Amino acid sequence: MNTKRVVALIIAAVLLFFSIGINTIISIFKTDFFTSIDNLMGTESLTYENVVETGDLTNRIAHLTVDGVIQDVGEPSIWETVDYNHQQFMEQLDAVLEDDTIKGVVLSVNTPGGGVIESEEIYQKLLKIKEEKQIPIYVSMGSMAASGGYYISAPADKIFAQRETITGSIGVIMQSINYGKLAENFGVEFETIKSGEHKDMFGGVRPSTKEELAMLQEMIDESYDHFVDIIEAGRNMSEAQVKKVADGRVLGGTQALRAGLVDEIGNEETTINALRKDFGLEDAELFEYTMDTSSWGSLLGVKLGSMLRPSAESEVLSKIISTTNSPRMMYLYGDY
């Protein structure tokens, strides 16, 4: 065996060993290994509270935040950071439901919207909090609270927006790219074997027929009608009043105020102070939920994530590979 072949085998063995080692470490972090450590050490916690303003511990205000596109991407990897974690936020809403010391909720919304299903899940949970706990929910809109962002704001007792807030965009959208002609220009042909006439509808390889577009439009219209209904109920508006601005247009804060979609112009601090004053919670503690970085699992995960974080190019490639291109209905403004 010549020297070059020996070197090649050694390099291959090292790469294989390294790959197995990394995959093993990642597998450990996908299990409850470190959760078990946290349980043994007494540091495990589903939700971690950060006190923003001290006060009465028996009458508290929970400050929740939705920041980023509302979509459930599952649990992020140890080196991945996400603007919005849907599962974590739903856990926070459950924590509010179970905590009898919480007498009010301030929800800060800064999102262009997102998935129809995820937005509905938040909406239903907020309704449950209002109905079961009989506590007020005030919304503070940030730079953007459009489409799904307004959807989740609708059940609030009072909505505050800033003059520069972009809101509205009430409606539903579903998009797909038809790249059939582009493929044809490069001599690419698609071969499709399907069980039914419409199995490949809106799949991007051929134009949709009028019948198929009518099917999809029916789905969109049904979801849109539900969107209008929740605004009617949440804002005490008639269908005609809602549909006057529910054509997909975006509105600034003052426009939304005139349209009846928000109650007052003000920032986050204004919203919190208004909730305190309106419900006699001047002495209430204000807290927010954050990721618990004090546990062993979290600390080791952060450290390992920083050591093994892939390159930017690898992260982009991984995202492209793992992201499905299947079209779906969205309460979303803009291209995110």
Side-chain angles (χ1 to χ4, degrees), residues 15-318:
L15 290 175
L16 178 63
F17 178 79
F18 182 76
S19 176
I20 293 173
I22 292 297
N23 287 328
T24 301
I25 293 171
I26 292 173
S27 297
I28 290 173
F29 273 84
K30 287 183 177 179
T31 67
D32 294 329
F33 179 78
F34 285 110
T35 301
S36 300
I37 293 178
D38 290 335
N39 287 331
L40 290 173
M41 299 297 294
T43 58
E44 191 270 337
S45 175
L46 291 176
T47 54
Y48 178 73
E49 295 180 3
N50 176 45
V51 176
V52 180
E53 296 178 14
T54 58
D56 188 348
L57 296 176
T58 61
N59 293 287
R60 306 196 300 156
I61 299 172
H63 182 200
L64 309 178
T65 301
V66 172
D67 189 0
V69 179
I70 303 171
Q71 57 182 341
D72 189 356
V73 296
E75 286 297 327
S77 66
I78 58 175
W79 50 61
E80 184 181 7
T81 58
V82 293
D83 292 328
Y84 170 76
N85 186 319
H86 185 67
Q87 295 178 19
Q88 191 176 83
F89 185 71
M90 295 304 294
E91 289 175 2
Q92 292 176 7
L93 293 177
D94 285 332
V96 171
L97 266 172
E98 297 167 2
D99 193 334
D100 293 333
T101 68
I102 297 176
K103 307 301 181 183
V105 174
V106 171
L107 175 61
S108 293
V109 178
N110 185 37
T111 173
V116 168
I117 299 298
E118 294 92 333
S119 300
E120 175 70 9
E121 287 177 344
I122 295 173
Y123 169 76
Q124 290 296 338
K125 192 71 71 173
L126 290 172
L127 276 186
K128 189 174 183 180
I129 290 172
K130 286 187 62 176
E131 293 170 359
E132 292 189 6
K133 294 183 68 67
Q134 295 292 305
I135 60 174
I137 299 176
Y138 277 24
V139 162
S140 172
M141 292 181 168
S143 60
M144 183 176 291
S147 204
Y150 191 81
Y151 192 101
I152 65 173
S153 301
D157 295 277
K158 190 173 283 188
I159 301 175
F160 290 75
Q162 300 180 57
R163 288 182 176 83
E164 298 79 11
T165 296
I166 296 176
T167 187
S169 188
I170 298 168
V172 195
I173 191 168
M174 177 186 284
Q175 292 179 313
S176 177
I177 299 174
N178 181 5
Y179 47 85
K181 288 186 177 180
L182 176 64
E184 185 179 335
N185 291 338
F186 286 92
V188 178
E189 295 182 3
F190 296 98
E191 294 183 351
T192 304
I193 301 173
K194 52 187 179 180
S195 58
E197 179 184 356
H198 305 295
K199 182 59 180 173
D200 61 343
M201 63 184 285
F202 217 53
V205 299
R206 64 171 178 82
S208 300
T209 65
K210 289 184 179 180
E211 182 183 9
E212 289 168 343
L213 290 175
M215 295 177 190
L216 295 170
Q217 189 63 55
E218 183 179 359
M219 292 167 52
I220 294 292
D221 291 343
E222 183 178 346
S223 186
Y224 168 76
D225 288 340
H226 180 60
F227 200 156
V228 171
D229 289 342
I230 71 159
I231 298 176
E232 289 180 49
R235 301 298 301 166
N236 194 27
M237 297 170 68
S238 67
E239 181 179 345
Q241 288 175 316
V242 176
K243 287 192 173 181
K244 189 176 181 179
V245 291
D247 54 5
R249 74 181 70 181
V250 294
L251 302 95
T254 52
Q255 291 175 306
L257 180 64
R258 290 195 296 267
L261 296 179
V262 304
D263 298 288
E264 294 185 30
I265 298 297
N267 58 19
E268 195 173 86
E269 183 179 0
T270 304
T271 307
I272 295 170
N273 290 337
L275 179 63
R276 289 186 181 278
K277 181 179 178 181
D278 294 346
F279 293 90
L281 296 171
E282 289 88 349
D283 297 327
E285 177 186 86
L286 176 68
F287 76 95
E288 59 189 8
Y289 294 113
T290 60
M291 180 183 292
D292 185 0
T293 57
S294 63
S295 68
W296 284 90
S298 297
L299 288 171
L300 289 171
V302 170
K303 184 64 177 176
L304 186 61
S306 64
M307 292 170 56
L308 302 179
R309 187 180 185 90
S311 66
E313 293 81 1
S314 298
E315 288 188 74
V316 171
L317 182 60
S318 175

